[in-house]
Amino acid sequence: MSYKFDFGPEGVTVEGYHKVTNSTLYEENLAYGFTTINKVSAKKRTNESLTGDFCIPFDSTFVADVPNGNYIVTITLGDAFAPTHTSLKTNGEHLVLQNYETVSGQIAREQFGVNVRNGQLKLSFGGLAPRLNSVEMLQTSQQITIYLAGDSTVTDPSEDGFPFSGWGQMLNYYFKHDVVIANHAIGGRSSKSFISEGRLEGILEEIKEGDYLFIQFGHNDQKSDEERFTDPDTTYPEHLKKYIDAARSKKATPVLITSVHRRYYDNDGHIINMHTTYLDAVRKLAEEENVALIDLADRSKQLFEELGEEATKSIFLWGEPGEWRNSSNGIKDNTHFQEQGSLQIAELVVQGIRDLNLMRLTMFLKPTE
């Protein structure tokens, strides 16, 4: 099943496409459109079908009601008369294009994967000169899905949560359209509470043979409340093993990930291990169960010590009063990331995928720049 949209001013619509103009506001009975139109304009440059006209969606979002599942999205963008500059996020605020540029006269075609769980596929545009010529959304069951189970350092942010960002939000950026990210991570959860709330069961309802389950818990397993606390020597690895067994029961591949470090330094500029023996518990379990391990703790330690205490503020949620709209009084958060930081952490995860040679994933990573 596919959904096709032709963007631009009123006029001739290509057969099989829905026409979307700068005044096409989303309505439930229409089932597609821009969520707001005050920053959307439209232009016709040539008589070429699909590429001769476009919408200019400044800081705007286009949505389409579609069945839940995985999609390959093909987007055409460019301008016959002017250079363009576009950034794009999809469902879960997943980054797929960042500062994407075309020169005058160039029409570009890009593809990416999107996982839909709420009956709506969303395209949120930014950039200095965004253009949108056409979009095709093709539902498919052929893509590999990476399911993410984790906490707030992994989760997708809310639409109004900027600049907060989990690394799972950024993982899509590094893959071609053959791989889709289904981020089930949620803030405040431990390996124990994620299961007790039925979230692992929700993944099991969807995950299939050939998919992957990435598992990162630890930040909240240290909390003292009964709902979340696990012991690093006993109940913590016992709960993590439930994720491993669940993935394998569906012939999917589990991947354990050690918790990313917090931003705490000793007097010599070395990262302090705030996760204590939880990190070793993950490493030991990976060896015992013959599970692939991405040691994000070790990788983030190397990165944070290389950057130093001051420079890592650009990774974490640090800001002066007035710097971030959602933290007008300033913020000093040594656990959570801002978007540029989560992009760097996601890159560490991708490096782990390459080093492990997880073949069905590495073959679909975008070329390194």
Side-chain angles (χ1 to χ4, degrees):
M1 184 180 299
S2 66
Y3 304 82
K4 300 179 180 180
F5 303 95
D6 175 16
F7 293 81
E10 293 283 0
V12 177
T13 303
V14 177
E15 184 178 357
Y17 284 75
H18 299 287
K19 188 66 179 184
V20 180
T21 74
N22 57 311
S23 61
T24 305
L25 186 65
Y26 173 82
E27 296 178 359
E28 189 172 343
N29 61 341
L30 184 62
Y32 63 86
F34 290 102
T35 56
T36 59
I37 57 175
N38 59 311
K39 290 186 177 181
V40 182
S41 57
K43 204 81 174 177
K44 180 177 180 179
R45 298 295 201 197
T46 72
N47 290 323
E48 293 292 327
S49 60
L50 294 182
T51 61
D53 60 350
F54 49 80
C55 282
I56 307 172
F58 274 114
D59 297 325
S60 300
T61 298
F62 175 79
V63 296
D65 294 343
V66 298
N68 288 344
N70 288 345
Y71 289 79
I72 295 174
V73 177
T74 303
I75 183 171
T76 305
L77 61 168
D79 188 332
F81 290 2
T84 74
H85 181 282
T86 306
S87 292
L88 175 60
K89 294 177 181 177
T90 67
N91 293 42
E93 306 303 301
H94 288 190
L95 181 69
V96 291
L97 296 178
Q98 185 181 48
N99 301 326
Y100 187 93
E101 296 181 344
T102 64
V103 299
S104 177
Q106 178 187 4
I107 303 297
R109 181 175 176 268
E110 291 291 330
Q111 291 185 309
F112 48 88
V114 179
N115 175 254
V116 175
R117 299 209 303 271
N118 65 351
Q120 199 169 71
L121 200 155
K122 181 179 71 170
L123 303 173
S124 296
F125 292 87
L128 301 176
R131 300 290 189 270
L132 179 56
N133 304 89
S134 68
V135 171
E136 179 179 358
M137 305 169 179
L138 175 65
Q139 189 172 22
T140 176
S141 60
Q142 302 305 309
Q143 293 158 297
I144 300 170
T145 305
I146 300 177
Y147 290 86
L148 305 181
D151 51 42
S152 58
T153 62
V154 186
T155 193
D156 293 338
S158 61
E159 292 184 18
D160 59 353
F162 181 84
F164 167 76
S165 176
W167 63 256
Q169 175 193 358
M170 299 299 179
L171 199 57
N172 222 126
Y173 178 73
Y174 294 97
F175 283 96
K176 300 176 183 177
H177 66 273
D178 309 85
V179 173
V180 175
I181 309 301
N183 194 354
H184 287 250
I186 188 166
R189 273 55 178 186
S190 70
S191 64
K192 178 182 179 181
S193 64
F194 192 92
I195 292 175
S196 65
E197 293 176 0
R199 300 183 185 277
L200 178 57
E201 190 61 37
I203 292 175
L204 281 176
E205 292 174 359
E206 303 175 5
I207 198 169
K208 65 185 187 302
E209 182 176 358
D211 289 340
Y212 288 78
L213 176 59
F214 283 20
I215 309 146
Q216 185 215 278
F217 289 101
H219 280 84
N220 299 302
D221 286 77
Q222 296 176 290
K223 300 296 174 64
S224 60
D225 56 282
E226 177 63 25
E227 291 77 13
R228 295 183 290 179
F229 174 75
T230 60
D231 185 283
D233 295 322
T234 56
T235 52
Y236 180 53
E238 288 170 7
H239 279 88
L240 290 179
K241 188 175 182 302
K242 294 180 181 180
Y243 295 83
I244 296 170
D245 293 343
R248 286 174 169 169
S249 73
K250 296 290 187 174
K251 297 183 179 180
T253 302
V255 178
L256 287 170
I257 303 177
T258 52
S259 294
V260 59
H261 274 294
R262 294 183 172 97
R263 182 187 165 276
Y264 290 101
Y265 291 80
D266 63 20
N267 292 332
D268 295 320
H270 298 133
I271 286 292
I272 300 171
N273 176 17
M274 306 297 291
H275 298 297
T276 63
T277 56
Y278 286 86
L279 301 180
D280 287 334
V282 181
R283 295 165 181 144
K284 181 181 178 183
L285 180 64
E287 184 175 357
E288 291 174 348
E289 295 295 321
N290 193 27
V291 173
L293 172 71
I294 296 176
D295 200 337
L296 190 55
D298 183 61
R299 292 175 184 273
S300 61
K301 181 178 188 293
Q302 293 180 44
L303 174 64
F304 298 164
E305 290 181 355
E306 178 182 334
L307 291 174
E309 189 169 359
E310 184 63 28
T312 48
K313 291 179 181 179
S314 66
I315 290 179
F316 288 84
L317 271 177
W318 271 65
E320 299 299 324
E323 186 173 350
W324 304 119
R325 181 181 60 188
N326 292 331
S327 303
S328 57
N329 294 325
I331 187 170
K332 297 179 180 180
D333 185 332
N334 292 313
T335 298
H336 302 104
F337 313 116
Q338 53 181 289
E339 287 194 357
Q340 195 56 41
S342 65
L343 189 63
Q344 290 180 264
I345 302 303
E347 186 174 8
L348 296 182
V349 175
V350 169
Q351 289 173 5
I353 292 171
R354 291 189 190 277
D355 291 346
L356 288 168
N357 196 25
L358 296 176
M359 187 56 66
R360 296 189 69 246
L361 293 182
T362 55
M363 64 190 297
F364 295 125
L365 285 167
K366 294 177 182 177
T368 55
E369 296 180 356

